[in-house]
Amino acid sequence: MEHALSPTTLSELRRPRPYPAVSVLTPTHRREPYNAQDRVRLRNVVSEAKRQLEADPAVTRERRADVAAQLDQALGEVDLTHSEDGLVIFAAPGEHQVWSLARSVPERVVLSDTFLTRNLVSAQVSERPFWVLSVSADRATLWNGGGGRVTEERSGGFPMTRRAENFDPERLERVGDMPSTFRDEGTRHFLREADTALGALLRDRPRPLYVTGEQAALSCLDEVGDASRTALQIPHGGLAQGTPEAVWQAVRTVVESEDLRTIDTVTKELESARGRKEFAAGVDEVWQNAREARVRLLAVEENYRVTVRDDGDHLVPASTDDLDARDDIVDEIVEQCLETGADVRFVPDGTLADAGGIAGVLRY
């Protein structure tokens, strides 16, 4: 199952497909007893997707069989023993994907000529993603963090290992002290290469960066690097060949502290915008401004969900049973704001109680 959504992957998911491109969404649960019915619910929603394929006169018999087979293959790849909060299956002629999300999704089936990606985008943003670069004299490992975990990132040239001809561990052992290792020109060259690869990746996928390593390694990287200079340094060796759990425990306190600082900054900016009359609150007002590309900063409570319908002029409360109900309107707003260049921040529940769970700072 897929977890990490890069700009390249998102662009690929959004490209038009031969009709029908099927998106199947269902909420899942991490713990018992709530996850007991996840398997049955998933099979039912996949069956509903097949029923819609069967009933759609625009779908040829050949394509119906192809996409149904793709749905079956995707169903066989789902691992509910490691469920998060939502599951998305994409299936089209000749292809399928399964995505596990750390954010709940509404149960629905959509047939179109593109996949429904807004829930993936919203889930990624809500995880507050970050990078961790772990360096040593002979290895640089990049970790993809967010949602209370890290995983090893294998792209952009990472992990990087120093070439054997440039690294003599026996000579370094004879030197006897680690600081001398990082004065070695070969080591400095290796760390400079790691910094260059990091810079290229950050240009394509910018996010907060933390760097771990022995203090001598961090000092050397600071001297020879450029992209890593703005990172928060965490003096902790041994993580370039460590486990994801070891890396997370090493950076957890700093990451959570930075999250709190970000939340404080967001609330202050919202208050300032309110005084300047550049403030929007509530799902209807924020949605109106998002469609006009007026939102510069969007703040959303982490578990804020609301079902609405569009009456032509405004969004009004609705029941999930209403035929025209939109129960993922928050994810629509998030994606719309990101598409128009807004900064999107998720904050703890209750932070925006006086704004109805969602608020924005306007551009004008």
Side-chain angles (χ1 to χ4, degrees), residues 288-337:
Q288 299 293 337
N289 284 282
R291 290 195 299 179
E292 296 171 5
R294 293 188 62 200
V295 179
R296 177 172 63 81
L297 168 66
L298 176 71
V300 187
E301 290 186 355
E302 290 172 346
N303 294 300
Y304 177 63
R305 291 282 183 183
V306 61
T307 301
V308 300
R309 59 182 176 82
D310 191 341
D311 70 359
D313 295 316
H314 297 281
L315 299 179
V316 297
S319 167
T320 55
D321 297 330
D322 292 350
L323 293 177
D324 55 352
R326 298 163 74 171
D327 50 7
D328 60 351
I329 190 64
V330 175
D331 291 337
E332 289 189 52
I333 292 172
V334 168
E335 186 172 53
Q336 178 67 30
C337 287

Side-chain angles (χ1 to χ4, degrees), residues 195-260:
D195 181 86
T196 300
L198 176 67
L201 183 138
L202 287 175
R203 284 191 292 274
D204 183 48
R205 300 165 68 183
R207 60 176 69 171
L209 172 68
Y210 304 90
V211 179
T212 75
E214 298 286 348
Q215 185 58 61
L218 297 179
S219 298
C220 180
L221 185 63
D222 198 43
E223 290 175 13
V224 303
D226 182 34
S228 56
R229 285 181 182 170
T230 59
L232 278 175
Q233 294 189 347
I234 303 174
H236 192 302
L239 298 178
Q241 300 188 48
T243 64
E245 180 60 23
V247 174
W248 169 239
Q249 292 305 324
V251 305
R252 180 176 184 171
T253 300
V254 177
V255 169
E256 291 177 348
S257 176
E258 285 300 302
D259 281 347
L260 289 175

